[in-house]
Amino acid sequence: MEEALVSLWNGLPFFVIHSATSLVMLLVGIFIYTLITPHDELKLIREGNVAAATTLGGAIVGLSLPVAFSMASSMNVWDIVVWGVIALLFQLAAFRLVDLFLKGLSQRIENGEMGPAIILVSFKLATAAINSAAISG
């Protein structure tokens, strides 16, 4: 029992620092994502727009998966930061790429259209899965 407590005590700072860094990366990523997208997700969600909630939810999962995989395989905090930034760039690229194919994506989300929202979320999750696989490599 004593060995387990010593192990916990020794590993706890590592766990707390990595978990806190991952959470900060996720929150910063969500903040930047909502600033860069042309529509105001939070305002739309407060107004009951399900399409906006769906796409922001997809971005949150899309950011968290690569961050979680990097936390699981990282040797230091900088791995988490670097992969968090890369995940954010890929989520923004996913938005722009889907917007190229589904013209007026932001306006369609503002209008509450679920079809484009579902395609966007699907592409975000696929992007996150590919990023996560690259990290765990």
Side-chain angles (χ1 to χ4, degrees):
M1 177 69 168
E2 186 178 324
E3 291 173 10
L5 291 175
V6 169
S7 177
L8 173 66
W9 186 254
N10 290 335
L12 192 59
F14 179 83
F15 171 78
V16 169
I17 290 169
H18 279 69
S19 295
T21 302
S22 297
L23 182 60
V24 167
M25 289 305 300
L26 178 61
L27 293 174
V28 168
I30 293 165
F31 178 74
I32 291 171
Y33 181 87
T34 59
L35 284 179
I36 291 178
T37 55
H39 54 279
D40 186 348
E41 285 92 349
L42 297 177
K43 176 181 173 276
L44 293 170
I45 292 167
R46 286 186 195 104
E47 294 171 352
N49 186 316
V50 177
T54 302
T55 59
L56 183 58
I60 291 169
V61 174
L63 290 167
S64 66
L65 285 174
V67 169
F69 272 81
S70 69
M71 187 171 96
S73 63
S74 69
M75 298 308 291
N76 59 59
V77 170
W78 292 110
D79 290 342
I80 298 169
V81 171
V82 168
W83 283 110
V85 170
I86 291 170
L88 174 61
L89 294 174
F90 271 88
Q91 289 300 303
L92 293 169
F95 181 90
R96 293 296 177 209
L97 190 59
V98 172
D99 188 39
L100 285 174
F101 291 102
L102 303 176
K103 300 293 183 206
L105 180 61
S106 188
Q107 183 62 46
R108 294 174 82 177
I109 291 169
E110 288 178 7
N111 294 340
E113 292 184 37
M114 284 303 295
I118 291 169
I119 294 300
L120 178 59
V121 169
S122 299
F123 200 80
K124 287 175 179 292
L125 296 179
T127 301
I130 291 167
N131 292 153
S132 298
I135 293 167
S136 63

